[in-house]
Amino acid sequence: LGSIHAQIAARRQALAAAKPVASATTPKPAATEEASVTLAVEYRRLAREVADARERQRQLDDKQFKASISASSATNDRNIQVSVLDEAYRPTHAISRPRSQLLAAALVICFVLALLTAVASALFDDRIHGRVDLERLDVLPVVGAIPRAPALPPRRS
């Protein structure tokens, strides 16, 4: 990394020394465009080299860490070998469904369960509500039925 910084400084000094003295005339646009393109290409090349150097540094740090773990396990008479089988990865999409879909499914399931509960309670209801329920029992024949009294009108005081 230090050598790259030194190359950048040397390149800047060379460009500063090569600059012509400012004249009264305007500079040629083609020359400035070529210089800016050259500088952009040079910057990208240097940025790529820096990224490569950082990656090499990270790999060296990883190797040094693994070597220090191996050395410490060897000095402590522990022959435990640790290695990474699969690198961790970031998932590309969410695993669970959206909450609105889960809520809709829960509501449908609750409605179906409520309907089944109502039907089951109606089928297994053994209370006698009227003459038809009494006739269904078939214990004794129904001889007569007491009619319901008509509703009385409310009293006025």
Side-chain angles (χ1 to χ4, degrees), residues 125-136:
D125 187 17
D126 60 352
R127 292 179 290 175
I128 299 173
H129 293 283
R131 185 177 65 100
V132 176
D133 293 335
L134 192 59
E135 287 175 351
R136 263 194 223 142

Side-chain angles (χ1 to χ4, degrees), residues 73-139:
S73 67
T75 57
N76 294 334
D77 292 331
R78 294 183 185 143
N79 292 329
I80 299 173
Q81 189 67 26
V82 177
S83 63
V84 176
L85 297 177
D86 290 327
E87 293 289 328
Y89 66 94
R90 176 174 250 158
T92 57
H93 59 281
I95 294 173
S96 65
R97 295 182 184 266
R99 289 184 181 179
S100 58
Q101 287 181 352
L102 291 175
L103 179 65
L107 287 175
V108 168
I109 290 171
C110 288
F111 178 74
V112 169
L113 287 175
L115 188 65
L116 289 175
T117 303
V119 169
S121 67
L123 287 175
F124 295 119
D125 187 17
D126 60 352
R127 292 179 290 175
I128 299 173
H129 293 283
R131 185 177 65 100
V132 176
D133 293 335
L134 192 59
E135 287 175 351
R136 263 194 223 142
L137 287 177
D138 251 354
V139 177

Side-chain angles (χ1 to χ4, degrees), residues 4-93:
I4 291 174
H5 285 299
Q7 288 176 1
I8 291 173
R11 179 73 176 166
R12 284 183 182 164
Q13 288 176 355
L15 289 175
K19 268 190 179 176
V21 178
S23 62
T25 62
T26 59
K28 295 180 183 176
T32 57
E33 287 177 10
E34 288 177 16
S36 65
V37 169
T38 304
L39 287 175
V41 169
E42 184 71 16
Y43 174 76
R44 287 193 179 123
R45 182 186 64 80
L46 291 174
R48 190 172 39 246
E49 287 178 4
V50 167
D52 290 342
R54 285 185 180 150
E55 179 63 24
R56 284 191 300 268
Q57 180 67 33
R58 188 192 63 79
Q59 289 174 354
L60 288 173
D61 288 342
D62 288 345
K63 287 180 182 178
Q64 181 185 9
F65 176 72
K66 289 178 183 177
S68 67
I69 287 187
S70 297
S72 68
S73 67
T75 57
N76 294 334
D77 292 331
R78 294 183 185 143
N79 292 329
I80 299 173
Q81 189 67 26
V82 177
S83 63
V84 176
L85 297 177
D86 290 327
E87 293 289 328
Y89 66 94
R90 176 174 250 158
T92 57
H93 59 281

